[in-house]
Structures are given as structure tokens and as C-alpha cells.
Amino acid sequence: MLKVAVLVSGGGSNLQALIDAKQAGNIKNGELALVLSSSADAYALERAKNAGVPTRVCSKKEYRTREEFTDAILGILKEYKIDLVVLAGFMYILSPKFCEEYENRVMNVHPALIPSFCGDGFYGLKVHEKVIASGVKITGATVHFVNSITDGGPIISQGAVPVRFDDTPEILQKRVMAECEWKLLPQAVDLFCQGKLRVVGSRVEILE
Ligand code: GRF
């Protein structure tokens, strides 16, 4: 069994999708070994506790620099012998050392179709506001490996949903989550844990 850590900062609906998938037997060779939150009052911690997943809190405020914060997180991940790190609504960008130590072993879910609507400044509802303002008719979500370029690592999977004329950012966010993120992320974790993701340069091959 590979040990999976989920890094969160907020509500944790993607964490819940992972917990549900695990309980349904859909993450076959992986165990949710740790939920690490950047905030002591993230609702994601409640979800983890209800599912019996160990939790830790690591608050950026307690560290002077991004490097020290990243080192503290790396220390905790080593303590739990983590094989795969999943960023699920984690609000901080970690230092390049993190990407190096966990190269092709850190996944993120981004609520748009990369390479559109991504990069610095594209997070949370802002992404959906910009999608609506741009007039595009299709958006979606992307699961990708994390490298030192924000939202720039190899893409694992993508899903699409329509943008409707009367959408608000909140309505669109919910559609992207329910129809894309909550499905794609557990599937990607399952594939990783079964050794079915192979990174070749900037592309990911899904092995049969
Ligand atoms: C999701 O939209 C995810 O794509 C983004 O942050 C949000 C997290 O939501 N990276 P939740 O905490 O999983 O509910």
C-alpha cells in the first residue's frame, strides 16, 4: 500500500471525494495516511477525523520564510513515510526543494483547463470569475504533477463542463467540482498507486 498525504487549507470537498473513493474500494493500492492542514480551523480536518485519518496542522505563521515552512512540511511527510502528496485546496506555494524531493510524486487539482486560466493569481473563485468574463463556452478541471512552475507540471487528466450564460462564479465552481474535480482526483490517485502513471518529459502516459 502506498501512503498518501493530502494537504488542505479549507473546506476539503476534494479530500472528501478521496475518502469516499477509498471507502468504496476505488483507491486500490493506496492508504490515506495523513491530512496536513495549513490552518487549525479548516473544515477538512473534521472530514479527516470523521474518517479516522491522522491529521497534523502546520501553520505558515509559525515560520519566518517559505523555505522554513516547506522544511517543516517535508519533515512531517518523512515522519509518515509518505509516497504521494496530493494538494487539494492547499493555499501555499512550497519552495522548489519540495518539488525536487517529491518529483512526480506531488499532484494538484486545478479548477480550469490548463494551460488556460492558470498560474499565479488564478485560485479559488477568481478562476471562475475570469472564465466567465472571458466568454469561453467550455471550462473544466486539470489534475497534474507539481513542478516549480505554478500549474506547469505534466498533466495527468482533464475533464470539461459547459459554461452557461447565467452562471455565477459560485455556480460554475460547484459544477466544475462535482462533474470534474471529485471524479478526476480519486481516479488519478488510484492510477498512481497502481503504478500506472509514467512521466515522459512533459507528458504523462497512462499504462493499461
Ligand atoms: C478546488 O477548487 C481545487 O481545484 C482548488 O481549490 C479548491 C479546493 O476546494 N485547488 P476543497 O477545499 O477541496 O473543497
Side-chain angles (χ1 to χ4, degrees), residues 125-201:
L125 277 177
K126 284 183 200 286
V127 177
H128 305 290
E129 281 164 15
K130 288 174 180 167
V131 163
I132 291 170
S134 77
V136 295
K137 296 295 188 191
I138 292 174
T139 187
T142 303
V143 180
H144 63 95
F145 284 116
V146 173
N147 64 14
S148 54
I149 303 161
T150 309
D151 300 325
I155 291 172
I156 299 165
S157 58
Q158 294 186 298
V161 292
V163 182
R164 302 197 193 286
F165 191 76
D166 54 359
D167 274 343
T168 62
E170 290 80 4
I171 290 171
L172 185 56
Q173 179 183 52
K174 189 71 206 288
R175 185 179 310 125
V176 168
M177 282 181 157
E179 294 182 24
C180 301
E181 296 181 45
W182 299 342
K183 294 176 184 165
L184 294 176
L185 189 60
Q187 284 167 359
V189 170
D190 182 45
L191 288 169
F192 182 95
C193 291
Q194 292 188 70
K196 290 188 175 175
L197 298 180
R198 191 167 77 101
V199 181
V200 186

Side-chain angles (χ1 to χ4, degrees), residues 10-15 88-89 108-111 177 181:
S13 68
N14 279 290
L15 167 65
N108 180 48
V109 57
H110 180 74
M177 282 181 157
E181 296 181 45

Side-chain angles (χ1 to χ4, degrees), residues 4-7 32-36 53-56 76-77 80 82:
V4 180
V6 187
L7 270 54
L32 298 177
L34 175 67
V35 168
L36 189 155
V53 180
T55 60
R56 293 285 289 266
I76 295 171
L77 297 176
Y80 285 81
I82 295 301

